[in-house]
Amino acid sequence: MSDNENIKDLSRRKFLRNSAVTGVAGAGLAGGFGAGTMMSSRPAEAAQNNEHHVEPGELDEYYGFWSGGHSGEVRILGVPSMRELLRIPVFNVDSATGWGITNESKRVLGENAPLNGDTHHPKVSYTDASYDGRYCFINDKLNTRVARIRLDIMRADKIITIPNVQSIHGLTLQRVPSTERVFAAGEMIVPLNNNGDYLDDPSQYWTMMSCLDAETMEIKWQAIVDGNLDNCDTDYTGRFVAASCYNSSRGMTLPEMMGPERDWTVFFDVPAIEAAVAAGDYTTIGDSQVPVVDAREQAHEGRNTFALYVPTPRSPHGVNTMPPEGKYCVVSGKLSPTCTVIEWSRVGEWFDGGLDDPRDTVVAEPEVGLGPLHTTYDNRGNAYTSLFLDSQVVKWNVEDAIRSYNGEEVNYIRDRIDVHYNIGHIKASLACSRDVDGKYLTALCKFSKDRFLPVGPMHAENDQLIDITGEQMKLVHDGPTYAEPHDALMIRADQLNPSQIYTRDDPYFAETVAMAEADGVTLETDNKVIRDGNKVRVYMTSVAPNFGTTEFRVKRGDEVTIVVTNMDTIEDVSHGFALVNHGINFEIHPQQTSSVTFVADKPGVHWYYCSWFCHALHMEMSGRMLVEA
Ligand code: RUQ
Ligand code: CUA
């Protein structure tokens, strides 16, 4: 089936499913759940329990992109089923796909790259603030990296280490006109030139916001800031990026960091910074060529033209722009029971000289509960904030919070629901885009305690699914997950169009194709062994149930490169190349070329076999490497 047919098929199935639901609408409301809520479009039996259940063979309505936390990967879940569909290895070694082992993945990772990571914030690229399904970007807090994943083949194609900072935590994307820039927030403060000088002088420690070109993945600029950067988000005009900024006291220890009642939300004027860089008004640090501008308050007399520091209580954490127009930005207070609502247009007024006090950009500061970490939205003017300490999600109305801030007697809290337990991130369907639809919300709980069968001291995390279509929130699913996904997002199934098989001209293995061409080898047809001094290149095809080469001979100490091209054309007929006792196994999906290089240092007979069950004769799909002593 072609990609297009597949998508049509998918939407047809969705259509059938939806019409089946509306066909019985009006059959009556189930009792007990919020009479007078928006339940009337639901069938009776569904309202009792099961409308969120995705039947076997049915497809989900959303793709969910989940960070894999300290597993270093990114996962794709179907929502609302919460079925795990794929793990995309990024900063880790993956035994199944050979990520971190194949030459193709090593080219993306870089030679000698650390093979672990800590992913936090997956972000899917935009065109005009709608998801365009091209890329997913992800940060590595552990090794200060940012990766880009191609969403056609679901493999990372660029990974870059950010210089001059330590720990990339917040990651966000330009929304308008499209994702041309990626913003990466450096968290820990270190000496600007971290070469061993100033070890004992924390007054010399700083961090920076980094801006990457989304296409080339090169760093366009870095901006030095006051405080530690945490989470970040952009506006809906393409001009600003904001980050929460804790440790304004520049402490080295916990008590020192917790001193101030207020830290900041810092807003960067991207065109102003880029104008300075274009004018040559920047420095560089150490060996790095990246232009660095100074956005600290101390560097500016009078008004800071690069950054606006809005005092925000207290160790603020999540920064989330409200869809669909992006009018407000909500910063969750973490150590303060409040959220701070900042109006983006007022941020513009401040930079343009119209406002004097940075706090004049604040239009509300509602009390929401204990430990507010992140905020997400529906399409009806409501915000949903995760409360870590209360183990709750609180739903509140943004315009009512603004009225209350302006002195009106109005209750802005709409609902609260218990979650299990100690929630961190929270994300509603399409809530970071113009297309926010107010249907589902994921509550990423840091503790699961008693919610699942015990499996030893390491507990699953619990990613819960909440129906937010009604006045009251309704918990509909518990989802155990591995190794702390920090963040997740959902996009509509029709917003992604992944490939079903590779195309032979895919850039992911273009360098391997070029190597074959230089050897005079046509990958699609040739099964050849080329010797070049002590380097041996073994080219073979794979067509179920055969490897094109079933025996090859090398000498002990040869550097061997094995290149396998899967000439099957039927989707899902994948092969694997596994070389026994050599720590080698990798994927070769239909029409893909994969390769690996190693030193043959063990004389003897070594079998290789296909590791992906592909055919009734899959077990027989094998061959021998003969290593002469
Ligand atoms: S952070 S629990 Cu890494 Cu996204 Cu807030
Ligand atoms: Cu090819 Cu199993």
Coordinates of all heavy atoms in Angstrom, one line a residue, residues 35-95:
A35 N -24.2 15.8 35.4 CA -25.4 16.1 34.6 C -25.3 17.6 34.1 O -24.8 18.4 34.8 CB -26.7 16.0 35.5
G36 N -25.7 17.8 32.9 CA -25.6 19.2 32.4 C -24.2 19.5 31.8 O -23.9 20.6 31.4
T37 N -23.3 18.5 31.8 CA -22.0 18.7 31.2 C -22.1 18.4 29.7 O -23.2 18.2 29.2 CB -20.9 17.8 31.8 OG1 -21.3 16.4 31.5 CG2 -20.9 18.0 33.3
M38 N -21.0 18.3 29.1 CA -21.0 18.2 27.6 C -21.1 16.7 27.2 O -20.5 16.3 26.2 CB -19.7 18.8 27.0 CG -19.7 20.3 27.4 SD -18.2 21.0 26.8 CE -18.4 20.9 25.0
M39 N -21.8 15.9 27.9 CA -21.9 14.5 27.7 C -22.9 14.1 26.6 O -22.9 13.0 26.2 CB -22.2 13.8 29.0 CG -21.2 13.8 30.0 SD -19.7 12.9 29.6 CE -20.4 11.3 29.8
S40 N -23.7 15.1 26.2 CA -24.9 14.7 25.4 C -24.5 14.1 24.0 O -25.3 13.4 23.4 CB -25.8 15.9 25.2 OG -25.0 16.9 24.6
S41 N -23.3 14.3 23.6 CA -22.9 13.7 22.3 C -22.4 12.3 22.4 O -21.9 11.8 21.5 CB -21.9 14.6 21.6 OG -20.7 14.7 22.3
R42 N -22.4 11.8 23.6 CA -21.8 10.5 23.8 C -22.9 9.4 23.9 O -23.9 9.6 24.5 CB -21.0 10.5 25.1 CG -19.9 11.4 25.1 CD -19.2 11.3 26.4 NE -18.3 12.5 26.5 CZ -17.5 12.6 27.5 NH1 -17.5 11.7 28.5 NH2 -16.7 13.6 27.6
P43 N -22.6 8.2 23.4 CA -23.5 7.1 23.5 C -23.5 6.6 24.9 O -22.6 6.8 25.7 CB -22.9 6.0 22.6 CG -21.5 6.4 22.5 CD -21.4 7.9 22.6
A44 N -24.7 6.0 25.3 CA -24.9 5.7 26.7 C -23.8 4.7 27.2 O -23.2 4.9 28.2 CB -26.3 5.1 26.9
E45 N -23.6 3.6 26.5 CA -22.7 2.6 27.0 C -21.3 3.2 27.0 O -20.5 2.8 27.9 CB -22.8 1.3 26.2 CG -22.2 1.4 24.8 CD -23.2 1.8 23.7 OE1 -24.0 2.7 24.0 OE2 -23.2 1.1 22.7
A46 N -20.9 4.1 26.1 CA -19.6 4.6 26.2 C -19.4 5.5 27.4 O -18.4 5.4 28.1 CB -19.4 5.5 24.9
A47 N -20.4 6.3 27.7 CA -20.3 7.1 28.9 C -20.1 6.3 30.2 O -19.4 6.8 31.1 CB -21.5 8.0 29.0
Q48 N -20.6 5.1 30.2 CA -20.4 4.3 31.4 C -18.9 4.0 31.6 O -18.4 3.9 32.6 CB -21.2 3.0 31.3 CG -22.6 3.3 31.8 CD -23.6 2.2 31.3 OE1 -23.1 1.2 30.7 NE2 -24.8 2.4 31.6
N49 N -18.3 3.7 30.5 CA -16.9 3.3 30.6 C -16.1 3.5 29.4 O -15.0 4.1 29.5 CB -16.9 1.8 31.0 CG -15.7 1.5 31.8 OD1 -14.8 2.3 31.9 ND2 -15.6 0.3 32.3
N50 N -16.5 3.0 28.3 CA -15.6 2.5 27.3 C -15.3 3.4 26.1 O -14.7 2.9 25.2 CB -16.1 1.2 26.8 CG -15.2 0.1 27.3 OD1 -14.1 0.4 27.7 ND2 -15.6 -1.1 27.1
E51 N -15.8 4.6 26.1 CA -15.6 5.4 24.8 C -14.2 5.7 24.5 O -13.8 6.0 23.3 CB -16.4 6.7 24.8 CG -15.7 7.8 25.4 CD -16.5 8.5 26.5 OE1 -16.8 7.9 27.5 OE2 -16.7 9.7 26.3
H52 N -13.3 5.5 25.5 CA -11.9 5.8 25.2 C -11.1 4.6 24.8 O -10.0 4.6 24.6 CB -11.3 6.5 26.4 CG -12.1 7.6 26.9 ND1 -12.2 8.8 26.3 CD2 -13.0 7.6 28.0 CE1 -13.0 9.6 27.0 NE2 -13.5 8.9 28.0
H53 N -11.9 3.4 24.9 CA -11.2 2.2 24.5 C -11.0 2.1 23.0 O -12.0 2.3 22.3 CB -12.1 1.0 25.1 CG -11.4 -0.3 24.8 ND1 -10.3 -0.7 25.5 CD2 -11.7 -1.3 24.0 CE1 -10.0 -1.9 25.1 NE2 -10.8 -2.3 24.1
V54 N -9.9 1.7 22.6 CA -9.6 1.5 21.2 C -9.7 0.0 20.9 O -8.8 -0.7 21.4 CB -8.3 2.2 20.7 CG1 -8.0 2.0 19.3 CG2 -8.2 3.6 21.1
E55 N -10.6 -0.4 20.1 CA -10.8 -1.8 19.9 C -9.7 -2.4 19.2 O -9.0 -1.7 18.4 CB -12.1 -2.1 19.1 CG -13.4 -1.7 19.8 CD -13.7 -2.6 21.0 OE1 -13.3 -3.8 20.9 OE2 -14.3 -2.1 22.0
P56 N -9.4 -3.7 19.4 CA -8.4 -4.4 18.6 C -8.6 -4.1 17.1 O -9.7 -4.3 16.6 CB -8.5 -5.9 18.9 CG -9.2 -5.9 20.3 CD -10.1 -4.6 20.3
G57 N -7.5 -3.7 16.4 CA -7.6 -3.4 15.0 C -8.0 -2.0 14.7 O -7.9 -1.6 13.5
E58 N -8.5 -1.3 15.7 CA -8.8 0.1 15.4 C -7.6 1.0 15.6 O -6.6 0.6 16.3 CB -9.9 0.6 16.4 CG -11.3 0.0 16.2 CD -12.0 0.7 15.0 OE1 -11.5 1.8 14.6 OE2 -12.9 0.1 14.5
L59 N -7.6 2.1 15.0 CA -6.4 3.0 15.1 C -6.7 4.1 16.1 O -7.9 4.6 16.2 CB -6.0 3.5 13.8 CG -5.7 2.5 12.7 CD1 -5.2 3.2 11.4 CD2 -4.6 1.5 13.2
D60 N -5.7 4.7 16.7 CA -5.8 5.8 17.6 C -6.1 7.1 16.9 O -5.8 7.2 15.7 CB -4.5 5.9 18.5 CG -4.5 4.9 19.6 OD1 -5.3 5.1 20.6 OD2 -3.7 4.0 19.6
E61 N -6.6 8.0 17.7 CA -6.9 9.3 17.1 C -5.7 10.3 17.1 O -5.6 11.2 16.3 CB -8.0 9.9 18.0 CG -8.9 11.0 17.4 CD -10.0 11.4 18.4 OE1 -10.3 10.6 19.3 OE2 -10.4 12.5 18.3
Y62 N -4.8 10.0 18.0 CA -3.6 10.9 18.2 C -2.3 10.0 18.2 O -2.3 8.9 18.7 CB -3.6 11.7 19.5 CG -4.8 12.5 19.7 CD1 -5.9 12.1 20.3 CD2 -4.8 13.8 19.2 CE1 -7.1 12.9 20.5 CE2 -6.0 14.6 19.3 CZ -7.1 14.1 20.0 OH -8.2 14.9 20.2
Y63 N -1.2 10.7 17.7 CA 0.1 10.2 18.0 C 0.6 10.9 19.2 O 0.5 12.2 19.3 CB 1.1 10.5 16.9 CG 1.0 9.7 15.6 CD1 0.4 10.2 14.5 CD2 1.5 8.4 15.6 CE1 0.3 9.5 13.3 CE2 1.5 7.7 14.4 CZ 0.9 8.2 13.3 OH 0.8 7.4 12.1
G64 N 1.1 10.2 20.2 CA 1.7 10.9 21.4 C 3.2 10.7 21.3 O 3.7 9.6 21.0
F65 N 3.9 11.8 21.5 CA 5.4 11.8 21.5 C 5.8 11.9 23.0 O 5.5 12.9 23.6 CB 6.0 12.9 20.7 CG 5.8 12.7 19.2 CD1 4.7 13.0 18.5 CD2 6.9 12.1 18.5 CE1 4.5 12.8 17.2 CE2 6.7 11.9 17.1 CZ 5.5 12.2 16.5
W66 N 6.4 10.9 23.4 CA 6.8 10.8 24.8 C 8.3 10.8 25.0 O 9.0 10.1 24.2 CB 6.4 9.4 25.4 CG 5.2 9.5 26.3 CD1 5.3 9.2 27.7 CD2 3.8 9.7 26.1 NE1 4.0 9.3 28.2 CE2 3.1 9.6 27.3 CE3 3.1 10.1 24.9 CZ2 1.7 9.9 27.3 CZ3 1.8 10.3 25.0 CH2 1.1 10.2 26.2
S67 N 8.8 11.6 25.8 CA 10.2 11.5 26.1 C 10.5 10.2 26.9 O 9.6 9.7 27.6 CB 10.7 12.7 27.0 OG 11.0 12.3 28.3
G68 N 11.6 9.6 26.7 CA 11.9 8.4 27.4 C 12.8 8.7 28.7 O 13.3 7.7 29.2
G69 N 12.9 9.9 29.1 CA 13.6 10.2 30.3 C 15.0 9.7 30.2 O 15.7 9.8 29.2
H70 N 15.5 9.1 31.3 CA 16.9 8.7 31.4 C 17.1 7.4 30.7 O 18.2 6.8 30.8 CB 17.4 8.7 32.8 CG 16.4 8.5 33.8 ND1 15.6 9.5 34.4 CD2 16.0 7.3 34.4 CE1 14.8 8.9 35.3 NE2 15.0 7.6 35.3
S71 N 16.2 6.9 29.9 CA 16.5 5.8 28.9 C 17.1 6.4 27.7 O 17.7 5.7 26.9 CB 15.2 5.1 28.5 OG 14.4 5.8 27.6
G72 N 17.0 7.7 27.5 CA 17.7 8.4 26.4 C 16.9 8.4 25.1 O 17.5 8.8 24.1
E73 N 15.7 7.8 25.1 CA 15.0 7.6 23.9 C 13.8 8.5 23.8 O 13.5 9.3 24.7 CB 14.6 6.2 23.7 CG 13.7 5.7 24.8 CD 13.6 4.2 24.9 OE1 14.4 3.4 24.4 OE2 12.6 3.7 25.6
V74 N 13.1 8.4 22.7 CA 11.8 9.1 22.5 C 10.8 7.9 22.1 O 11.2 7.0 21.4 CB 11.8 10.1 21.4 CG1 10.4 10.6 21.0 CG2 12.7 11.3 21.8
R75 N 9.6 8.0 22.7 CA 8.6 6.9 22.4 C 7.4 7.5 21.7 O 7.0 8.7 21.9 CB 8.2 6.3 23.7 CG 9.3 5.6 24.4 CD 9.0 5.0 25.7 NE 10.2 4.7 26.4 CZ 10.4 4.8 27.7 NH1 9.4 5.1 28.5 NH2 11.5 4.5 28.2
I76 N 6.8 6.7 20.9 CA 5.5 7.1 20.3 C 4.4 6.2 20.9 O 4.5 4.9 20.9 CB 5.5 7.0 18.8 CG1 6.6 7.9 18.2 CG2 4.2 7.3 18.2 CD1 6.7 8.0 16.8
L77 N 3.4 6.8 21.4 CA 2.2 6.1 21.9 C 1.0 6.5 21.1 O 0.9 7.6 20.6 CB 2.0 6.5 23.4 CG 2.7 5.7 24.5 CD1 4.2 5.9 24.4 CD2 2.1 6.1 25.9
G78 N 0.1 5.6 21.0 CA -1.2 5.9 20.4 C -2.1 6.4 21.6 O -2.1 5.9 22.6
V79 N -2.8 7.5 21.3 CA -3.7 8.0 22.3 C -5.1 8.1 21.6 O -5.2 8.5 20.5 CB -3.3 9.5 22.7 CG1 -4.3 10.0 23.7 CG2 -1.9 9.5 23.3
P80 N -6.2 7.6 22.3 CA -6.3 7.3 23.7 C -5.9 5.9 24.2 O -6.0 5.7 25.4 CB -7.8 7.6 24.0 CG -8.5 7.2 22.8 CD -7.5 7.6 21.7
S81 N -5.5 5.0 23.4 CA -5.3 3.7 23.9 C -4.1 3.6 24.8 O -4.0 2.8 25.6 CB -5.0 2.7 22.7 OG -3.8 2.9 22.1
M82 N -3.1 4.6 24.6 CA -1.9 4.6 25.4 C -1.0 3.4 25.1 O -0.2 3.0 25.8 CB -2.1 4.7 26.9 CG -2.9 5.9 27.3 SD -2.1 7.5 27.0 CE -1.3 7.7 28.6
R83 N -1.3 2.8 23.9 CA -0.4 1.7 23.5 C 0.9 2.2 23.0 O 0.9 3.2 22.2 CB -1.1 0.9 22.3 CG -2.5 0.3 22.7 CD -3.1 -0.5 21.6 NE -3.5 0.4 20.5 CZ -4.5 0.0 19.6 NH1 -5.2 -1.1 19.8 NH2 -4.9 0.8 18.6
E84 N 2.0 1.6 23.4 CA 3.3 2.0 22.9 C 3.5 1.5 21.5 O 3.5 0.3 21.3 CB 4.4 1.5 23.8 CG 5.8 2.1 23.5 CD 6.9 1.6 24.4 OE1 6.9 2.0 25.5 OE2 7.7 0.8 23.9
L85 N 3.8 2.4 20.5 CA 3.9 2.0 19.1 C 5.3 1.8 18.7 O 5.7 1.0 17.8 CB 3.2 3.0 18.2 CG 1.7 3.3 18.6 CD1 1.2 4.3 17.6 CD2 0.9 2.0 18.5
L86 N 6.2 2.7 19.3 CA 7.6 2.7 18.8 C 8.5 3.3 19.9 O 8.1 4.2 20.6 CB 7.7 3.5 17.5 CG 9.1 3.5 16.8 CD1 9.4 2.2 16.2 CD2 9.1 4.6 15.8
R87 N 9.7 2.8 19.9 CA 10.8 3.5 20.7 C 11.8 4.0 19.7 O 12.3 3.2 18.9 CB 11.4 2.5 21.6 CG 10.5 2.0 22.7 CD 11.1 1.1 23.7 NE 10.2 0.9 24.8 CZ 10.6 0.5 26.0 NH1 11.8 0.3 26.3 NH2 9.7 0.4 26.9
I88 N 12.1 5.3 19.7 CA 13.1 5.8 18.8 C 14.3 6.0 19.6 O 14.4 6.9 20.5 CB 12.6 7.2 18.2 CG1 11.2 7.0 17.6 CG2 13.6 7.7 17.3 CD1 10.6 8.4 17.2
P89 N 15.4 5.2 19.3 CA 16.6 5.4 20.1 C 17.3 6.7 19.6 O 17.2 7.1 18.5 CB 17.5 4.2 19.6 CG 16.9 3.8 18.3 CD 15.5 4.2 18.3
V90 N 17.8 7.5 20.6 CA 18.4 8.8 20.2 C 19.8 8.9 20.9 O 20.8 8.9 20.2 CB 17.5 9.9 20.6 CG1 18.1 11.3 20.2 CG2 16.1 9.8 20.1
F91 N 19.8 9.0 22.2 CA 21.0 9.2 22.9 C 21.5 7.9 23.6 O 22.5 7.9 24.3 CB 20.9 10.3 24.0 CG 20.4 11.6 23.4 CD1 19.2 12.1 23.7 CD2 21.3 12.3 22.6 CE1 18.8 13.3 23.2 CE2 20.9 13.6 22.1 CZ 19.6 14.0 22.4
N92 N 20.8 6.8 23.2 CA 21.2 5.5 23.9 C 21.6 4.5 22.8 O 21.5 4.7 21.6 CB 19.9 4.9 24.6 CG 18.7 4.9 23.6 OD1 18.5 5.7 22.8 ND2 17.9 3.9 23.8
V93 N 22.2 3.4 23.3 CA 22.4 2.2 22.4 C 21.2 1.4 22.4 O 20.6 1.1 23.4 CB 23.6 1.3 22.9 CG1 23.9 0.2 21.9 CG2 24.8 2.1 23.2
D94 N 20.8 0.9 21.2 CA 19.6 0.1 21.1 C 19.9 -1.2 20.5 O 20.3 -1.3 19.3 CB 18.5 0.8 20.4 CG 17.2 0.0 20.4 OD1 16.8 -0.4 21.4 OD2 16.7 -0.2 19.3
S95 N 19.7 -2.3 21.3 CA 20.0 -3.6 20.9 C 19.2 -4.1 19.7 O 19.6 -4.8 18.8 CB 19.8 -4.5 22.1 OG 20.0 -5.9 21.8

